[in-house]
Amino acid sequence: MEASSNKSEAQHIAYLWGSWFAITCLWILAAFHVLSGASPVWLGIVVLPVVLVAGYLKPHLATFACVFLIYSNLPVVAAQFHGLPYAVVAMTPAMLLLPLGYFLWIKEEGVIFPWEGMLVVGMVVVQSFGVMFSRAPDESFTDLVRSIFEGLGLFFLVINAIRTPVILRGSLWALLATGAFMGAVTGHQYFTNNYQSNYGGLAQADQLGFSEVNERGVSIVRARSAGPVGEKNRYAQNMLMLLPIGVCLALTERKHWLKYAAWAATGLTVIGWAVTFSRGSVVGLAGTIVVAVFLGYLRPRVLVAMGIAAVLFVAVMPAYRERITSLLAASSLLSSTQSAEEADGSLRSRATIMMAAANVIAENPILGVGQGMFPYYAREYGKKSGYSVLQGNWEAHNLYLGIGADSGLLGLSCFLAAIGVVMVRLHRIRRRLLESNPTAALIATAFVFTLLIYLMSGMFLHYSYIRYFWLLFAMASATATLYAQKSPSVPASRGVSELF
């Protein structure tokens, strides 16, 4: 009986590997067919059954692929630079319907919707009421629909697709692989100074950049990488949020080659963040470290190591010294008008727009002015600040002021409460499992750091490109839900080699 069972299991394994070999061959043939000049329609004809078969054999692979595609922004790049229909791009999260269907109908498990999900729904309800009273209801409604699909919809799909520690760990590796991929491309662009090429849309750059005085005393213009996102500060934030995940994987993998791979991928992610020369992300990182010390997450020796790493980092990339020094100009905004005129133009504009958003909230405190409507009020309310004159429609350049202006204090409260609930749950998991399941505790800690980085860097970035945040927030919520159980069904210490 036992021999028969072993034979059946061996046949099943052989069938799975044979199926994946056939799928790989189909992908290669389809790719060569398209590269030879054939219509991309043939690629779709081959890809559709491949995706369906793969989703049936290994549903969690669709989760990993979806995480990689969303965070790398590859579908959007394919649409903007290579003609992929936007309808196909919009369907990327639909890949998660494969694991969702697997868990609901094959495994006969229930729908997962944690308490923080109700707060997300509350935010959508507030935004919906705000649309009714906005200056341009049709445009505001369009922005609301996009926000629902990239926010609540993605949140629901992700938390229902990540149900085991193995799938969670694979999703973390998918995120880290994304960071390594983007860091390698933008790092190559920086070190070769090849800013004339955008690498097929994978390494977009701000050619205006910033002025830097080189070792010869000559002022030069340093370009800033925007990666596949196309916005340098957002790209910096996205890469920075991956660093705690990379460190977590490097510390918790059992096999040495996986540890080395995780450290190497984390290093590439650091490079991707560094070549953006984002001042806001530096301040966000510093704020995160301060909060982490207050929470007791960082030991003195870790702080010393981070200090040494920071010194080496500035030594390797001295341009950051001028970028960080320029932040001191912000203090002049609080003094006389004359000194404000000497301050960095970017800082003056940001101060103006933030004051404008604060004025909007003061006059529309409950529901705000409607989802996506603040830019139409920016110039009018910006005149009251006296720091700068705004031209055109500006975003708030501050997460909290932006949400408050669009959705009022009610919407902002729902948003912050949802994040707060998840962070409290993760903090409790860390304390409970630090001794019995250190891997789970470190994963929870990594997501606390990730959310803190988003909140801190949000002081300089508005509520946009929200799919990145909601993807990570949903994964943090899935982690909190998964380890809320006393004994998860699958050990969290399984390596990535056991995912396939």
Side-chain angles (χ1 to χ4, degrees), residues 237 240-242 244 280-298 399-400 415-416 419-420 422-424 426-427 430 444-461 469 472-473 476:
Q237 183 190 53
L240 192 59
M241 288 192 293
L242 296 181
S281 64
V282 172
V283 176
L285 178 59
T288 300
I289 293 174
V290 171
V291 175
V293 171
F294 176 77
L295 294 175
Y297 282 15
L298 297 176
L399 175 68
Y400 312 101
F415 177 76
L416 294 179
I419 298 178
V422 172
M423 292 184 68
V424 168
L426 292 172
H427 180 69
R430 168 188 162 84
T445 304
F447 275 116
V448 170
F449 272 90
T450 294
L451 293 177
L452 281 175
I453 289 172
Y454 183 81
L455 292 174
M456 291 297 173
S457 57
M459 295 293 295
F460 307 97
L461 292 170
F469 164 74
L472 291 176
F473 176 75

Side-chain angles (χ1 to χ4, degrees), residues 28 33 41 59 92-93 136 138 153 206 262 268 286 305 316 350 395 438 486:
I28 294 174
H33 192 62
V41 174
T92 302
D138 292 341
D206 175 13
L268 289 172
V316 174
R350 287 174 182 266
E395 294 286 356
K486 293 296 182 181

Side-chain angles (χ1 to χ4, degrees), residues 286-458:
T288 300
I289 293 174
V290 171
V291 175
V293 171
F294 176 77
L295 294 175
Y297 282 15
L298 297 176
R299 298 178 180 178
R301 65 177 181 224
V302 176
L303 291 175
V304 171
M306 294 175 69
I308 295 174
V311 172
L312 295 175
F313 173 76
V314 174
V316 174
M317 301 190 71
Y320 255 102
R321 285 200 299 267
E322 291 193 23
R323 292 293 289 169
I324 296 174
T325 302
S326 66
L327 285 171
L328 299 177
S331 61
S332 65
L333 295 175
L334 301 178
S335 57
S336 65
T337 303
Q338 181 179 1
S339 61
E341 293 175 355
E342 299 172 356
D344 183 279
S346 174
L347 294 174
R348 288 204 312 270
S349 299
R350 287 174 182 266
T352 302
I353 201 66
M354 289 179 187
M355 290 297 296
N359 289 330
V360 169
I361 296 174
E363 295 188 13
N364 305 271
I366 307 301
L367 296 176
V369 293
Q371 181 66 21
M373 289 292 101
F374 169 73
Y376 297 98
Y377 294 78
R379 187 190 304 180
E380 173 188 348
Y381 283 83
K383 294 178 181 178
K384 302 178 181 180
S385 66
Y387 288 143
S388 178
V389 177
L390 298 176
Q391 300 295 332
N393 298 332
W394 284 62
E395 294 286 356
H397 283 290
N398 181 284
L399 175 68
Y400 312 101
L401 294 176
I403 294 178
D406 280 349
S407 306
L409 297 180
L410 282 179
L412 179 61
S413 297
C414 290
F415 177 76
L416 294 179
I419 298 178
V421 168
V422 172
M423 292 184 68
V424 168
R425 295 178 68 196
L426 292 172
H427 180 69
R428 290 175 176 173
I429 288 171
R430 168 188 162 84
R431 288 193 304 176
R432 178 168 58 87
L433 299 180
L434 197 56
E435 297 295 333
S436 61
N437 191 344
T439 296
L442 278 175
I443 293 175
T445 304
F447 275 116
V448 170
F449 272 90
T450 294
L451 293 177
L452 281 175
I453 289 172
Y454 183 81
L455 292 174
M456 291 297 173
S457 57

Side-chain angles (χ1 to χ4, degrees), residues 145-286:
V145 171
R146 179 188 61 81
S147 179
I148 290 174
F149 276 103
E150 294 189 357
L152 180 60
L154 184 60
F155 172 80
F156 174 79
L157 290 174
V158 171
I159 61 173
N160 280 279
I162 301 178
R163 295 185 180 230
T164 70
V166 170
I167 298 177
L168 173 61
R169 196 167 191 81
S171 300
L172 295 178
W173 270 104
L175 283 174
L176 186 57
T178 305
F181 168 68
M182 295 189 294
V185 175
T186 53
H188 182 272
Q189 181 187 53
Y190 171 79
F191 290 112
T192 60
N193 200 30
N194 187 21
Y195 288 99
Q196 292 73 32
S197 171
N198 62 15
Y199 291 68
L202 296 176
Q204 303 166 54
D206 175 13
Q207 299 288 356
L208 298 177
F210 64 97
S211 297
E212 174 195 0
V213 179
N214 62 14
E215 61 277 3
R216 298 179 180 177
V218 179
S219 179
I220 61 174
V221 175
R222 174 77 69 180
R224 299 176 60 192
S225 177
V229 180
E231 207 291 313
K232 49 194 177 296
N233 293 312
R234 185 65 62 180
Y235 177 55
Q237 183 190 53
N238 289 352
M239 298 298 278
L240 192 59
M241 288 192 293
L242 296 181
L243 297 188
I245 293 174
V247 173
C248 170
L249 290 174
L251 293 177
T252 57
E253 278 296 346
R254 295 181 302 176
K255 298 183 178 179
H256 291 296
W257 71 272
L258 287 175
K259 287 181 177 291
Y260 299 146
W263 282 122
T266 304
L268 289 172
T269 304
V270 171
I271 293 174
W273 164 68
V275 297
T276 65
F277 296 97
S278 172
R279 295 174 295 189
S281 64
V282 172
V283 176
L285 178 59

